[in-house]
Amino acid sequence: KEVIATYMEYVKAEDLLAQVNANPASMAMLAMVNSDDQGSKQNGGVYDNVAPKQMVKPFDDFLFGNPVGKTGVVETDFGFHVM
């Protein structure tokens, strides 16, 4: 990937995170409108029944290594994830 494209994706993810932090109830709608992940997009960004070590390591580490309600941007080989 080009550095500029990656940077723009990061900036978009950080902007979405700021919107989520300002209004947590907006997370599902923002995911449905902005996500490239067809696996969770229609479910408002939610993955049902995810077990530890089922996702890629950075995603898994954030998901299971933080308390419920913690938000952040995580980078994986699939891109940036607003969590």
Side-chain angles (χ1 to χ4, degrees), residues 3-33:
V3 172
I4 293 173
T6 300
Y7 176 74
M8 295 305 294
E9 291 169 3
Y10 172 76
V11 168
K12 180 179 179 181
E14 286 290 339
D15 178 60
L16 291 169
L17 177 63
Q19 292 179 57
V20 168
N21 286 334
N23 180 10
S26 69
M27 178 70 174
M29 182 56 71
L30 288 169
M32 291 173 79
V33 171

Side-chain angles (χ1 to χ4, degrees), residues 27-78:
M27 178 70 174
M29 182 56 71
L30 288 169
M32 291 173 79
V33 171
N34 293 284
S35 181
D36 294 330
D37 180 8
Q38 299 305 314
S40 68
K41 180 176 188 164
Q42 296 307 316
N43 201 23
V46 174
Y47 285 100
D48 290 325
N49 304 314
V50 175
K53 300 188 189 248
Q54 185 177 351
M55 307 300 270
V56 293
K57 186 167 176 27
F59 193 101
D60 189 82
D61 287 350
F62 188 93
L63 184 62
F64 295 104
N66 288 292
V68 172
K70 170 78 173 164
T71 61
V73 172
V74 174
E75 183 179 12
T76 71
D77 290 342
F78 300 100

